[in-house]
Amino acid sequence: MEILQDITLGRYYPVDSVVHRLDPRTKLVASVLLMIGLLLTDAPAVTAIWGMLTFAVVLAGRLPLPLVLRNLRAFVWLFLLTMIVHSFFTAGSVWAKLPLVGWTLTREGVRNGLLYSFRLAVLVVMAALLTLTTSPIEITDGLERLMRPMRRVGVPVHELAMMMSLALRFVPTLLEEADRLQKAQVSRGASFEGNVVQRVRSVLPLIVPLFVSSFRRADELALAMDARCYRGGEGRTCYQLLRLQPIDYVAMAVSAGLVALAALV
């Protein structure tokens, strides 16, 4: 459960930087474009470009590198599974063979496993960068402005944007709640050590109180919004108007250009 504390998805890191000052719509569009571009190709050179670009965004955003990389710890099992599947189930020149199960380790499989694990790691970091450099209020405003044309067909744009923003906002809150419940269980003699099966069994008692706590927080939030006469997006105005700056157009143009590059390679 300590791994849950490393997830920074949904947490905002307040600092003055070029990335933080970008329009939230720019960061949302650029993030989606770059993620799509990363999935369009499996060329190692393009994947390396995406990795260097992500590292450049971390530096430009003045974010502590350990804070960003901590997100990867929770996904180590996924990287290992990707490595195993590609290493032993990809045809190619045999590198080694497991005598008991008869699986063969291929050089092409190891290469693909490293490549796809790195791609997954970059995707996780990209998602974390979006929330680390954009506050929940900015994400709500950006999503609402991007989805505004959908209002013509009756889509409740403001409510959808608010729901997405609240979901991101409550990710760190739920992680803290899970950590608190785990410490309470440990103080009562529970153990979270052992093999995978034992750890899964020890986590199961945390699920029910965590769900109860989540519903309680959701009910308290609904009551608080109702007490403040919240009635949705109709007639509401924005405190801060969003305006695209030249750097926003440059960022979106660079993102679109990289996606085109990935599609052509």
Side-chain angles (χ1 to χ4, degrees):
M1 296 296 291
E2 293 180 358
I3 296 179
L4 295 178
Q5 303 177 14
D6 296 330
I7 300 177
T8 60
L9 184 64
R11 298 180 183 178
Y12 175 61
Y13 186 81
V15 67
D16 184 25
S17 71
V18 176
V19 181
H20 285 73
R21 290 193 296 268
L22 287 174
D23 191 283
R25 293 170 294 178
T26 301
K27 286 182 276 189
L28 287 167
V29 172
S31 298
V32 172
L33 287 177
L34 291 175
M35 289 181 182
I36 293 175
L38 183 61
L39 297 175
L40 284 178
T41 180
D42 56 358
V46 177
T47 306
I49 292 175
W50 253 252
M52 291 186 291
L53 176 63
T54 304
F55 181 70
V57 173
V58 174
L59 295 180
R62 298 175 59 188
L63 299 172
L65 188 58
L67 175 67
V68 178
L69 296 181
R70 269 168 37 189
N71 293 273
L72 302 179
R73 186 183 173 191
F75 297 92
V76 170
W77 64 271
L78 181 59
F79 303 147
L80 291 177
L81 180 62
T82 302
M83 279 293 303
I84 293 174
V85 170
H86 282 281
S87 299
F88 291 99
F89 296 97
T90 300
S93 57
V94 179
W95 196 357
K97 188 174 182 179
L98 297 180
L100 297 180
V101 295
W103 293 355
T104 56
L105 180 68
T106 62
R107 300 181 185 273
E108 291 79 5
V110 173
R111 184 188 68 85
N112 290 340
L114 292 173
L115 177 62
Y116 282 94
S117 297
F118 181 74
R119 291 174 65 188
L120 289 174
V122 174
L123 284 174
V124 172
V125 172
M126 282 184 178
L129 287 177
L130 175 62
T131 57
L132 284 171
T133 59
T134 314
S135 66
I137 298 298
E138 291 178 334
I139 292 178
T140 302
D141 293 341
L143 286 173
E144 186 174 357
R145 291 293 297 274
L146 289 174
M147 296 188 299
R148 180 171 293 182
M150 301 172 63
R151 294 172 57 183
R152 299 179 180 179
V153 294
V155 177
V157 172
H158 176 78
E159 286 74 12
L160 286 175
M162 179 66 70
M163 289 169 56
M164 295 180 192
S165 176
L166 290 176
L168 285 175
R169 172 61 184 84
F170 273 92
V171 168
T173 303
L174 293 178
L175 294 179
E176 293 175 1
E177 185 72 15
D179 181 64
R180 185 184 65 82
L181 291 172
Q182 183 218 9
K183 291 178 179 178
Q185 294 280 356
V186 171
S187 66
R188 290 170 174 80
S191 175
F192 292 86
E193 303 297 332
N195 55 39
V196 176
V197 177
Q198 292 174 339
R199 291 186 179 183
V200 171
R201 289 179 178 176
S202 62
V203 170
L204 289 178
L206 299 180
I207 295 179
V208 174
L210 186 60
F211 267 97
V212 172
S213 176
S214 302
F215 289 129
R216 177 177 56 82
R217 290 180 181 273
D219 185 60
E220 291 175 353
L221 178 62
L223 291 175
M225 296 174 69
D226 186 62
R228 290 164 176 79
C229 301
Y230 175 77
R231 294 295 182 272
E234 186 175 357
R236 296 179 65 88
T237 58
C238 296
Y239 175 74
Q240 183 177 3
L241 297 178
L242 299 179
R243 292 186 177 89
L244 294 175
Q245 303 298 326
I247 191 173
D248 294 300
Y249 292 105
V250 172
M252 286 191 285
V254 170
S255 302
L258 290 174
V259 172
L261 173 65
L264 294 175
V265 174

